[in-house]
């Protein structure tokens, strides 16, 4: 399979799991990629960051985080998720269409394209 490009990511994705973050309280985490910009939404807040053009050795930075408050458990889960996002330095779409975000060789986040 050829290397994943930023264009391969364009569209909406639902986060399935995150290493080190319990997403049960933060269900519905979503990514929307558009031309090198990542828009994210969660139960409490939203975020935006840029990346690219390559998906190897990248840094998702700077993060712009929108306001919003939830119950304490959901806010903790969301904080843990955002901490994982800050560690991402590589992304790829696997042969079965799953988006995996890595910190070097360690997978951190998994997402599936939103079927509309």
């Amino acid at each position: 399979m050829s290397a994943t490009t930023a264009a391969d990511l364009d569209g909406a994705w639902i986060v399935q799991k995150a290493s080190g973050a319990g997403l049960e309280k933060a269900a519905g985490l979503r990514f929307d990629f558009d031309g090198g910009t990542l828009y994210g939404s969660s139960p409490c807040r939203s975020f935006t960051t840029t990346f690219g053009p390559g998906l190897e050795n990248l840094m998702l930075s700077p993060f712009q985080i929108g306001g919003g408050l939830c119950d304490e458990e959901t806010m903790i889960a969301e904080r843990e998720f955002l901490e994982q996002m800050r560690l991402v330095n590589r992304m790829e779409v696997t042969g079965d269409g799953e988006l995996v975000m890595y910190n070097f060789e360690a997978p951190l986040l998994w997402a599936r394209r939103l079927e509309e």
Side-chain angles (χ1 to χ4, degrees):
M1 182 173 160
S2 62
T4 303
T5 67
D8 295 329
L9 301 175
D10 283 351
W13 299 78
I14 298 295
V15 177
Q16 302 294 307
K17 67 180 182 173
S19 176
L23 298 185
E24 299 79 25
K25 287 290 185 181
L29 291 165
R30 176 178 169 151
F31 296 142
D32 288 281
F33 290 92
D34 184 18
T37 300
L38 167 58
Y39 303 94
S41 60
S42 63
C44 305
R45 300 178 282 182
S46 61
F47 63 91
T48 304
T49 189
T50 57
F51 65 93
L55 301 181
E56 299 285 330
N57 197 25
L58 60 84
M59 184 166 78
L60 299 176
S61 178
F63 269 84
Q64 297 175 353
I65 299 176
L69 293 174
C70 290
D71 63 271
E72 184 178 4
E73 285 183 64
T74 303
M75 293 292 291
I76 289 169
E78 184 180 83
R79 185 187 72 231
E80 291 169 349
F81 167 74
L82 289 171
E83 287 171 1
Q84 293 298 312
M85 288 293 300
R86 290 184 197 323
L87 297 174
V88 170
N89 63 8
R90 180 169 73 88
M91 295 187 278
E92 71 177 15
V93 177
T94 65
D96 67 349
E98 183 175 49
L99 170 62
V100 182
M101 297 179 166
Y102 296 87
N103 178 259
F104 297 99
E105 296 304 314
L108 298 175
L109 300 159
W110 295 260
R112 286 267 176 210
R113 193 173 291 279
L114 180 63
E115 302 297 327
E116 302 203 43

